[in-house]
Amino acid sequence: MPLSEHEQRMLEQMERALYAEDPKFATALEGSGLRTYTRRRVYQAVAGFLVGIALLMTGMVFQEDGLIWISVVGFLVMLGCAVLAVTGWRKAPKPGEQRAAGGRQARQRRSMMDRIEARWQRRRDEQQGGGH
């Protein structure tokens, strides 16, 4: 079931607002530059992991002074950055897949929208049927 005119206008309005508010993020979501975006994110996560190691070591060196909490913060930073790096690495498209993945993602996005619309319609039908 296609979107109604009102829903289509709302979607376009949200897209324009996203482009106006954060064009870099909107471009990354669009698919162009997705590989660069995910690669940059993985590099940032690796740098954060190294900062976490430095904090962990600093806390261990100064543990007699009561600064063991720095080690805990360093460990948490390392853990968070490791999760970001792994998830970013998995989402990164392969070198030759950029063009093919874009078409497939558009089809998957469309099918996801179809499923959401079908669920919405079923709920509306159930509410109308149950309310009468």
Side-chain angles (χ1 to χ4, degrees), residues 36-99:
T36 305
Y37 175 76
T38 53
R39 187 183 317 137
R40 185 180 328 127
R41 189 157 190 180
V42 169
Y43 289 153
Q44 289 171 347
V46 169
F49 188 84
L50 295 175
V51 169
I53 289 175
L55 288 172
L56 181 72
M57 292 298 158
T58 302
M60 295 304 289
V61 168
F62 293 110
Q63 69 182 352
E64 295 93 27
D65 297 335
L67 298 177
I68 194 76
W69 61 271
I70 292 177
S71 292
V72 174
V73 170
F75 176 76
L76 293 174
V77 168
M78 288 169 51
L79 183 64
C81 288
V83 168
L84 282 176
V86 169
T87 57
W89 190 264
R90 286 184 182 169
K91 290 180 182 178
K94 304 291 182 265
E97 287 185 18
Q98 186 72 19
R99 200 171 282 157

Side-chain angles (χ1 to χ4, degrees), residues 2-21:
L3 294 173
S4 69
E5 278 187 43
H6 175 70
E7 291 168 333
Q8 192 72 22
R9 275 186 269 131
M10 293 291 289
L11 182 61
E12 289 171 1
Q13 184 180 8
M14 288 189 304
E15 287 175 352
R16 282 193 302 268
L18 178 63
Y19 276 104
E21 186 176 320

